[in-house]
Every structure is written in structure tokens, then in C-alpha cells.
Amino acid sequence: GAGVSQSPSNKVTEKGKDVELRCDPISGHTALYWYRQSLGQGLEFLIYFQGNSAPDKSGLPSDRFSAERTGGSVSTLTIQRTQQEDSAVYLCASSLGAGRVNNEQFFGPGTRLTVL
Amino acid sequence: AQSVAQPEDQVNVAEGNPLTVKCTYSVSGNPYLFWYVQYPNRGLQFLLKYITGDNLVKGSYGFEAEFNKSQTSFHLKKPSALVSDSALYFCAVRDGGYNKLIFGAGTRLAVHP
């Protein structure tokens, strides 16, 4: 069975450019999470989706960051006007649903973003 | 706010010896605790979780963790380490009704032949 997939696996961009990162969750998983893993900050939560809505955006570091999810499946994380401090590995995870407290999250391989 | 602490940046152990990776937590309410492992250039893989019930939780690859409420700890253990266990280990706690995870800083485990 397919796990969580993310694309691209690596992205190098120039400061000031916009980037889009994609996440395909496990089929049937209604909950989707974005996290960021960076050297200085460790692993930090960015945003949570239940279906197509995002009831928790509390981890987005600035208004340059946005995300959407369509059809209750694929999600896109967009970073506008990228800065060097945005360089990190962006991880996506999915689970059966946040309503069940014992659901573990399954993580994708991540997208390594490098902003020059 | 919920938090977890992993006091050791790195743990070194000889192959065949028991290993322990430490984690302490601070939560309001019941703790829901998780361990994940990350191999180089890979995403996080779920190892085990504590939700309720027995304090000793068994997980993947022979790992187990002991929940200790009085010490607010959830240490990861394995009776006999393998070189292939060398990886980055994260302890995490569920935060809030949406199940987002709050992670510790991670502990790098190095198992030497």
C-alpha cells in the first residue's frame, strides 16, 4: 500500500521566489499535518487539516506561508517570497482522523527546501 | 502548554548491549506519548505510543517504552542494540484536540559494532 508521498524531494530556489510543496496523504486519511524540520528549531508543527478545512494554522511562521487541501486529499504548502531562514525539510503526515486520540501519524519522506 | 524534553543529544552504545533513550514530558491532563525514528534522508517512522493501560508499551523493531507517571518520563528501551538501530529518535506528545504533535529535540543513537 502507498504511504504518504511528497514532491519534490528537493527544491533549490532563489531568495524572493515562491515555492509550492505537495503532499499526497494515505488514502482514507482525513487528517493531514505539515511540519518543518530545521537545524535551529527542531521539528515544529505548521498547520493541520481535517478534510478540506484548516482549524489549526497556529504554527505558520508568517503570512508568507499558506496551505490548502482540495478534495480531502492532496495538500499544497506555498511559501511566498522565500527567505533563507525558510530553508528546512518540510514534512507532511496523515492520520485516520483527529477525533480519535490514539491515531498515530504517518509521515512522508519530506521536501528539502534550500533558499539561496 | 505541552512539551517534551530529550536531555541527551547523543547516546552511544555497543552492539548487543541494552539501550535507553530518555524522554520527559510536561502536560496538562492525560498524556498521549509517541516515539518516532528517523533514518538518514527518510521521513519519520512510528515506533510506539502510550495512550492508556499498561505502563510498558511494546513497539516495532523490538523497542519498548515505559510510561512513568510519577517521574513524568517515557523512556525508550531495547534489550539488545543493533548497529542498524543507529538513527535519530524523537519523543512526542499530543497537543490539543487536533492531535498535532509536539516533538522533543531528538536524540541521535549510535550503536557501535
Side-chain angles (χ1 to χ4, degrees), chain B residues 2 7 10 39 56 58 106 109:
Chain B
Q2 324 285 54
Q10 178 149 338
Y39 297 101
L56 186 64
K58 294 188 182 297
L109 173 67

Side-chain angles (χ1 to χ4, degrees), chain A residues 7-94:
Chain A
S7 61
S9 55
N10 281 284
K11 177 70 176 179
V12 180
T13 190
E14 294 179 348
K15 177 181 174 181
K17 299 285 189 183
D18 297 352
V19 295
E20 284 190 352
L21 312 179
R22 176 188 169 104
C23 172
D24 270 286
I26 292 172
S27 177
H29 281 191
T30 59
L32 186 147
Y33 306 80
W34 283 97
Y35 295 87
R36 180 168 71 173
Q37 185 175 19
S38 55
L39 282 176
Q41 301 296 324
L43 253 167
E44 53 181 343
F45 165 80
L46 296 178
I47 187 170
Y48 156 70
F49 285 92
Q50 178 60 39
N52 291 336
S53 63
D56 190 347
K57 306 178 182 179
S58 62
L60 295 179
S62 76
D63 58 8
R64 296 186 296 103
F65 287 72
S66 63
E68 64 176 14
R69 189 179 184 194
T70 56
S73 181
V74 172
S75 176
T76 303
L77 177 69
T78 301
I79 309 173
Q80 295 178 308
R81 305 181 302 282
T82 52
Q83 303 295 313
Q84 289 182 332
E85 61 263 28
D86 299 335
S87 296
V89 176
Y90 289 82
L91 294 168
C92 176
S94 69

Side-chain angles (χ1 to χ4, degrees), chain B residues 23-76:
Chain B
C23 173
T24 59
Y25 64 88
S26 175
V27 304
S28 55
N30 294 322
Y32 301 110
L33 299 159
F34 301 80
W35 276 102
Y36 283 83
V37 60
Q38 186 176 37
Y39 297 101
N41 300 315
R42 303 278 296 276
L44 275 69
Q45 296 181 32
F46 169 77
L47 278 180
L48 51 79
K49 63 187 176 187
Y50 173 81
I51 304 298
T52 186
D54 290 341
N55 289 340
L56 186 64
V57 178
K58 294 188 182 297
S60 307
Y61 312 121
F63 283 93
E64 57 189 28
E66 185 171 9
F67 172 70
N68 188 315
K69 188 173 183 178
S70 62
Q71 297 185 4
T72 61
S73 67
F74 188 56
H75 300 333
L76 182 70

